[in-house]
Amino acid sequence: MAEKTYKERFGIRLYKEYFNFAAAHFLIFGDGRREELHGHNYGATLEIDAGLDEGGLVADFLQVKPIFRVLCDSIDHRVLLPRHNRFLSVHEDDTEVRATFGTDRWLFPRRDVTVLDIENTASELLARFLCEGLLGELSKQLPHLHPHRVQVAVQESPGQCAIYERTFEGP
């Protein structure tokens, strides 16, 4: 009888209460319609799979948590606008942000808006935004950590969330 083989996977999952952000947004649908401006109290979770370090850890929770928290805080209490939506025009200067969608116009104080390098403010793309920000900060702050998989989920209301996952091949 042949011996069974198996694969191991080690990871961490972080879902702290302070991984949250309250933000206003509106979705723009592919057919050119948009939702009304509204807000959510979003929650985010993070998973990282990687090999174990010399101490038997994927990563030190105390090092990863503040990195992810800063990313969530960076979009907390903001109006979120996508920079790259074909139906929305966004103009920024030092004091204000102007957005135009057809005949709809908004003018916001600069400090109240975060313009994101995404196509839409859908939870799926917010999850990707947070994941990309996390990966950038991990490479700077924890260069010894080489994830195999990173997953970020963004919950816009209880019982529904969107997930973005990035996997890496090789060592």
Side-chain angles (χ1 to χ4, degrees):
M1 176 183 267
E3 189 174 318
K4 291 185 178 182
T5 61
Y6 64 93
K7 290 179 73 171
E8 289 185 312
R9 178 178 78 95
F10 291 98
I12 61 172
R13 179 179 297 143
L14 300 171
Y15 46 98
K16 303 302 284 183
E17 190 172 308
Y18 53 76
F19 292 161
N20 64 64
F21 54 99
H25 83 127
F26 53 87
L27 289 178
I28 300 172
F29 300 103
D31 63 4
R33 294 176 301 115
R34 76 164 179 88
E35 293 180 311
E36 299 298 318
L37 181 65
H38 65 282
H40 295 284
N41 291 315
Y42 294 93
T45 61
L46 166 65
E47 291 185 18
I48 300 173
D49 291 353
L52 300 179
D53 67 13
E54 292 177 359
L57 304 172
V58 168
D60 183 345
F61 292 136
L62 295 176
Q63 292 178 314
V64 177
K65 288 187 300 187
I67 295 170
F68 198 60
R69 184 177 188 170
V70 165
L71 291 166
C72 291
D73 289 349
S74 75
I75 54 177
D76 189 27
H77 289 92
R78 298 286 187 272
V79 175
L80 304 179
L81 294 174
R83 184 180 312 280
H84 305 295
N85 189 285
R86 63 189 171 123
F87 297 110
L88 184 70
S89 176
V90 178
H91 301 280
E92 308 170 71
D93 63 34
D94 292 339
T95 61
E96 61 189 26
V97 176
R98 296 177 313 282
T100 305
F101 178 90
T103 59
D104 297 335
R105 309 270 187 271
W106 298 270
L107 178 63
F108 300 105
R110 181 73 194 99
R111 69 185 188 139
D112 292 338
V113 178
T114 299
V115 181
L116 301 169
D117 284 323
I118 59 178
E119 300 81 19
N120 209 344
T121 53
S123 295
E124 294 87 344
L125 298 179
L126 295 174
R128 184 180 69 191
F129 167 81
L130 291 172
C131 184
E132 289 175 346
L134 175 79
L135 289 169
E137 287 303 310
L138 288 177
S139 69
K140 288 188 246 176
Q141 297 184 41
L142 302 174
H144 60 280
L145 176 59
H146 302 287
H148 305 301
R149 181 184 73 93
V150 176
Q151 183 185 86
V152 174
V154 171
Q155 176 181 286
E156 65 176 30
S157 64
Q160 61 189 48
C161 72
I163 297 169
Y164 176 77
E165 181 173 290
R166 187 173 294 181
T167 58
F168 300 90
E169 302 291 325

